[in-house]
Amino acid sequence: MSRMTPFSSPLLLGFDAMEKTLERLAKSGDSYPPYNIERLSAADGKAERLRITLAVAGFAESDLDVTTEENQLIVRGRQTDDTEREFLHRGIAARQFQRYFVLADGMRVIAAELKNGLLSIDLDRPESERMVRKINISVKD
């Protein structure tokens, strides 16, 4: 018996990668670090922007890595344990994390800023040109 998916329609061609991405996102359940996504209003005729803000208290700039790979924004944080310190109580663990955001075609990262324990990543999507292309039909005898 075959499995029905939202992309199993014969009219949706080439969406295999999107289907795999959606499956992977459904399986990821980690909620650390918490984050916000906000829409910033367009100003001066510029394209609309988005801002992703992650709460990364305790992480230095050198502990964080922001990269894009294909259509994904990947934010990684790595802290090392300080073995020279003796803790009487340790409630703040040195954690590692990876947070993935799937980007739509044309989205690009403009800037990333770390301030007061919040990592803000600004994205935009420039207006794409509407393109209509006529396809010639060839007749073979």
Side-chain angles (χ1 to χ4, degrees), residues 50-119:
L50 298 176
R51 176 172 290 156
I52 301 170
T53 305
L54 293 97
V56 292
F59 286 85
E61 178 187 357
S62 59
D63 297 332
L64 298 168
D65 185 38
V66 179
T67 58
T68 56
E69 186 176 315
E70 295 181 11
N71 65 335
Q72 292 184 37
L73 170 66
I74 305 166
V75 183
R76 291 182 180 97
R78 292 182 190 88
Q79 286 182 319
T80 56
D81 271 336
D82 188 359
T83 56
E84 296 177 8
R85 297 164 67 183
E86 180 182 345
F87 293 96
L88 299 178
H89 170 75
R90 184 155 188 185
I92 302 171
R95 276 182 92 163
Q96 296 185 13
F97 70 87
Q98 282 189 330
R99 173 69 71 180
Y100 294 91
F101 298 93
V102 178
L103 304 177
D105 288 339
M107 292 290 295
R108 63 183 182 182
V109 176
I110 303 171
E113 178 185 28
L114 180 62
K115 183 177 178 184
N116 297 330
L118 297 174
L119 174 64

